[in-house]
Amino acid sequence: MSDTSSSQAGRPRLRRSLRRIIVVLLLALIGGAVAGKYWIIPAVIRSQLAGSLGEVWRGRVDVGKVSFSYFGPIRLGHLRLIDEQDRPWVSLGALELGLDDWPSLSPKLSVVRLASLDVRAHVADGQCDWPFITPPPSDEPVDWQQYVDLTAASIDALSLGAVEADGRGVLWQGYRLTMKRDGGGYRCTLARPDAPDSPELHIDGQLDADDMLDVHVRVDRHLSRAELAAILAAAGAGEPTRASGRLTADVRVRGPARRPEGITAVGPIELNGWDVRRDGAPALRNLRTTIALNGRSAELRDTSAELAGGTIRAGASAHLTDDNELMLSNVTAELAGISMPRLAESISASPVLDRGTLDATIGPLTGRIAPGADEPIEELYGRGRIHIAGANLYATSLIGAIIREVALPLETDLAADADATFGIDRTTITLTGAKQRATLKSRLHTTVINDGTIDLAGKRLDIHVTPISAQQLRRLLPETPGSPLLWSLADHLTQFRVQGRWDRPDELKVRPALLRGAQKGILGGIRGIIRPFEP
């Protein structure tokens, strides 16, 4: 009896204990959910985001407040990428990420909304060192389709710019970027909401279900030196270039997105009023040109610029093959009135030319540029002509070294003219006729380069020079039956062979070309002797 009553009395206590346990578990679950929403999960997201970006960024990653919801989007207050000099490069504001199949164990990112994005590149002396780090290749590629199924993305306020070391900068601001799913593909637009048809920068494109790309790009804007330096650095263009000018483009790009070699472009790109400077190269001023794109071909038209006090006009055609080789054809250039002193100053730290002008006609040339080659131009063929007037060429280290070796009594300050025709075969220039003339003590002195080759890649030359003309000897010696042989021998026996590196004139080897000159001289002299007796 007592056992029965005690068991009945214990049942209510058991039920009360179970209710307390259930309440505690519910409170713990609710508390965990609340703690996860407001503290744990946001902290994990911030830590993961900062850690991932830190692997590809040299500097500090500033991640703002993260708002997490079980039934809505994930929100990020701000995100800033700051370099080691405490300069901001990338600033995001109010990022919102929408998820499909959420809450679940396999949600997918479907919507990205960004209130603002400000990207500013910092430029110094024509160089822009982007602080991004290229991560090592992953052994296990990520299948993004498991995590992303994007239906829409937008940036309400997009600003792009470049800032000089003194704080001056240029911004492209007030743009809106939108991307929406269109059937099985996507449609994307970049424009200014206040001026949707402004040609300053307008991009409208689509990617269909078969990954075929169709993008229309319009640009009409004056680019500053800082902007161009940032663009070239982002494209990995190598040596710094300081340039500015107006860029106008209206280009349509089409082709398979997954096969870049099949992409084509049609439309003109115009440069107007450009000034271009590179270290170790002459500056171009007021450069004007039109690049006409047609599929995988391009034509350089109406190209002109001011160069070292003179002018240059050029033209060319190019075609990109399926192997990404650039084939060049009809490459021409005309140089007129180029100042030799100004040209020398731009390419030499210690120029010696202080007078003279240069005129040249080059081309037509053909060539081939292979991708990833050690030398930028694999093949180049063509011809040209050059004329130099009134320059103190004897003061140059190369010509001066030759004159010293042959012991000509010429002063280095002597003004001279020079003419040369040449052919180009790959990286070798072959001289087919070159003369240098100077007046010394009221007499015309002529130095003739009979023939020779100049290897641009190896910086070597091998030429035959006749520094003394036999015409001067004719004025001094009387005519005899054997005079033709004497004149021919004089012309050829005074030849010298010059070999060595043209960038090291002190190491040039200058030797008399006796055997070669004697053979040609004797044959020529015999022809001269028998010519009067021919019927």
Side-chain angles (χ1 to χ4, degrees):
M1 180 71 180
S2 60
D3 294 339
T4 302
S5 61
S6 61
S7 63
Q8 290 177 350
R11 288 172 182 170
R13 288 196 298 270
L14 179 60
R15 285 195 293 269
R16 285 194 298 271
S17 298
L18 290 174
R19 282 197 296 269
R20 291 192 188 98
I21 293 172
I22 293 173
V23 170
V24 170
L25 290 174
L26 288 174
L27 290 175
L29 182 61
I30 294 173
V34 173
K37 175 180 178 180
Y38 291 103
W39 294 292
I40 299 176
I41 296 179
V44 171
I45 293 176
R46 292 180 73 249
S47 176
Q48 291 288 334
L49 186 58
S52 298
L53 291 175
E55 294 178 356
V56 296
W57 179 259
R58 294 195 308 267
R60 178 161 52 92
V61 179
D62 181 13
V63 182
K65 180 182 178 181
V66 176
S67 299
F68 177 79
S69 173
Y70 291 109
F71 304 101
I74 299 173
R75 293 182 174 88
L76 174 64
H78 71 267
L79 173 65
R80 287 194 292 266
L81 301 181
I82 303 169
D83 67 9
E84 296 171 342
Q85 286 77 42
D86 205 32
R87 300 176 301 186
W89 286 69
V90 180
S91 299
L92 285 76
L95 174 63
E96 183 178 292
L97 305 177
L99 304 175
D100 279 347
D101 298 330
W102 178 247
S104 72
L105 295 177
S106 56
K108 288 187 176 183
L109 178 64
S110 60
V111 178
V112 177
R113 297 187 182 93
L114 186 57
S116 63
L117 173 61
D118 190 326
V119 179
R120 300 194 183 194
H122 296 271
V123 180
D125 296 329
Q127 298 187 24
C128 177
D129 184 15
W130 289 86
F132 288 101
I133 302 172
T134 303
S138 176
D139 295 334
E140 299 180 0
V142 178
D143 184 8
W144 292 105
Q145 293 182 349
Q146 295 182 8
Y147 310 101
V148 179
D149 186 17
L150 204 60
T151 60
S154 63
I155 303 175
D156 294 334
L158 174 62
S159 297
L160 305 173
V163 181
E164 294 273 12
D166 57 6
R168 293 181 301 169
V170 180
L171 286 178
W172 300 47
Q173 56 186 348
Y175 289 90
R176 176 179 172 81
L177 176 65
T178 60
M179 186 194 72
K180 294 182 179 180
R181 180 172 288 174
D182 183 9
Y186 294 92
R187 187 166 193 87
C188 179
T189 301
L190 175 65
R192 297 184 60 167
D194 58 342
D197 295 326
S198 171
E200 182 181 66
L201 177 61
H202 189 281
I203 300 176
D204 187 12
Q206 64 180 9
L207 181 69
D208 64 17
D210 297 325
D211 287 334
M212 293 299 293
L213 192 68
D214 187 353
V215 180
H216 185 197
V217 180
R218 288 185 294 156
V219 181
D220 187 4
R221 181 182 171 93
H222 185 279
L223 293 180
S224 69
R225 294 194 313 172
E227 288 174 287
L228 188 65
I231 294 172
L232 294 178
E239 296 183 10
T241 299
R242 293 174 291 279
S244 62
R246 190 160 200 87
L247 171 65
T248 305
D250 189 351
V251 178
R252 193 123 192 182
V253 180
R254 293 187 176 97
R258 296 182 182 273
R259 194 168 58 86
E261 63 273 14
I263 294 178
T264 62
V266 177
I269 299 175
E270 297 181 3
L271 304 180
N272 286 289
W274 279 73
D275 290 341
V276 182
R277 296 174 179 269
R278 294 186 66 179
D279 294 337
L284 292 176
R285 297 184 181 276
N286 197 25
L287 171 64
R288 301 174 182 273
T289 186
T290 297
I291 304 172
L293 303 178
N294 185 14
R296 293 176 65 83
S297 300
E299 184 178 354
L300 195 68
R301 301 174 180 171
D302 305 324
T303 302
S304 64
E306 299 171 9
L307 172 67
T311 60
I312 178 173
R313 298 182 180 277
S317 298
H319 176 73
L320 189 63
T321 68
D322 293 340
D323 297 327
N324 285 331
E325 290 185 340
L326 190 62
M327 308 301 294
L328 303 176
S329 61
N330 296 321
V331 180
T332 60
E334 292 185 4
L335 290 78
I338 307 299
S339 167
M340 294 296 291
R342 293 177 60 175
L343 184 65
E345 288 175 1
S346 62
I347 61 178
S348 174
S350 55
V352 295
L353 295 176
D354 59 12
R355 73 195 75 167
T357 58
L358 167 69
D359 297 279
T361 301
I362 301 173
L365 306 178
T366 61
R368 178 174 66 91
I369 301 177
D374 294 336
E375 294 293 334
I377 300 180
E378 285 277 291
E379 297 179 5
L380 190 64
Y381 307 96
R383 61 183 183 273
R385 180 189 63 81
I386 188 172
H387 172 70
I388 298 175
N392 55 326
L393 296 175
Y394 295 104
T396 62
S397 55
L398 176 60
I399 297 178
I402 297 174
I403 296 301
R404 286 192 301 271
E405 289 292 335
V406 299
L408 281 178
L410 297 179
E411 301 175 1
T412 58
D413 194 44
L414 193 67
D417 300 337
D419 294 285
T421 57
F422 57 88
I424 301 176
D425 187 344
R426 297 180 183 267
T427 60
T428 300
I429 295 178
T430 301
L431 297 173
T432 55
K435 291 184 179 181
Q436 179 177 272
R437 298 175 301 278
T439 301
L440 178 63
K441 296 180 179 179
S442 300
R443 290 187 178 182
L444 182 65
H445 169 75
T446 302
T447 299
V448 179
I449 299 178
N450 302 85
D451 55 56
T453 58
I454 301 175
D455 182 3
L456 298 179
K459 297 183 179 181
R460 303 191 65 84
L461 59 82
D462 185 355
I463 59 177
H464 289 87
V465 180
T466 303
I468 301 175
S469 173
Q471 292 181 359
Q472 296 181 6
L473 296 177
R474 292 192 181 190
R475 299 191 188 103
L476 299 175
L477 299 177
E479 290 285 341
T480 64
S483 292
L485 178 60
L486 177 62
W487 307 144
S488 185
L489 285 173
D491 267 333
H492 293 284
L493 289 178
T494 55
Q495 288 186 13
F496 291 81
R497 185 175 185 179
V498 182
Q499 294 175 294
R501 289 180 62 100
W502 48 264
D503 60 335
R504 300 176 185 173
D506 295 338
E507 300 178 11
L508 287 176
K509 296 179 181 179
V510 181
R511 302 185 182 91
L514 294 177
L515 181 59
R516 178 179 185 271
Q519 291 175 345
K520 289 188 176 182
I522 292 173
L523 291 176
I526 293 175
R527 294 192 187 99
I529 292 174
I530 66 175
R531 187 173 292 115
F533 303 99
E534 291 178 351

